[in-house]
Amino acid sequence: MPQPSSPLYERVKHVIPAFEWPAFEPDIEAILRLKRERDAVILAHNYQTPEIFHGVADIVGDSLALARQAMKVDASVIVLAGVHFMAETAKLLNPAKRVLIPDLRAGCSLAASITAADVRALRVSHPGVPVVTYVNTSAAVKAESDICCTSGNARQVVESLGVPRVIMLPDEYLAQNIGRDTGVEIITWAGHCEVHERFTADDLRQLRRGHDGIVVLAHPECPPEVVAEADFAGSTAAMIDYVAREKPARVALMTECSMSDNVAVEHPDIEFVRPCNLCPHMKRITLGKIRRALETLTHEVTVEPDIAGRARRAVERMLEVK
Ligand code: 13P
Ligand code: SF4
């Protein structure tokens, strides 16, 4: 079988088999054309598959970077290749733009774990305690919060408040990890990421036993016992920076599967051992759906005006921290 010869395939050939490429190429070409015709940009999260991440995205990053970049977009249309809360955040920060998500069902187990009424009830139980809300939540939940955070700035956000106690929701493990790092007493909520909660400290020890000298990086949505035994914990962008800076010979990223593929494209000499947990929500986004989103200008993400103002304030306060 002849090998694909495009410069783009040359870049991703370590992570996309040659026989798969002909299925992707027509959609990639159509999307690149449609982006120009529609005056659109594609923002893609680090968990998107390599054909999206390297093939059609204009801006890639962790939740924090996508929020910051969404604010600066000049184009008329933003396609969010990620999950619904990311599209809502982009809309909050750049309300004049048309924000599209290629599949409306791309949710998040953390966002689904809590409602605005739950936050109001927590405030009644803990009067005067500030509410720090992970961006992995609906705009309605953000609107009930004092300030948002991401995994990339949670520590700085909590420390910026200068108080001994905070309510941090909805990710129990992220909250426990930040409580340990900051010494701040944290009131938690029992939400979990369905991808990261599956990693165990035993998985990590098995990786170390099976792969000499392996460096293990964990996302702070992992259980605290996993984070405690990892060599480094940080947001998806912080993990990418760690790999680029330290260049470990062999590494495992305890996070969503596609991350390793996307980072491996930049570092063909590093051996990535892949403890593979897929996010079913992130995986709802495909090239075909991005193409349809641009063809039909759907699915548009909007936020109710009475929620948007308050939710935007919580996100903007976060962006002022760092
Ligand atoms: P970050 O990319 O902000 O680390 O978030 C991870 C995540 O699970 C987003 O859904
Ligand atoms: Fe939500 Fe976890 Fe999927 Fe991220 S990886 S979108 S936190 S379920």
Side-chain angles (χ1 to χ4, degrees), residues 47 83 85 107-110 136 193-196 221 256 279 281-282:
Y47 294 161
V83 292
F85 75 80
C108 169
S109 64
L110 283 167
N136 297 40
C193 162
E194 67 187 90
V195 177
H196 293 94
E221 290 171 9
E256 212 269 351
C279 173
H281 310 287
M282 288 281 178

Side-chain angles (χ1 to χ4, degrees), residues 45 47 62-63 85-86 134 136 151 219 221 235-236 282:
H45 185 261
Y47 294 161
D62 65 357
S63 313
F85 75 80
M86 295 176 177
Y134 199 28
N136 297 40
S151 59
H219 194 277
E221 290 171 9
S235 78
T236 55
M282 288 281 178

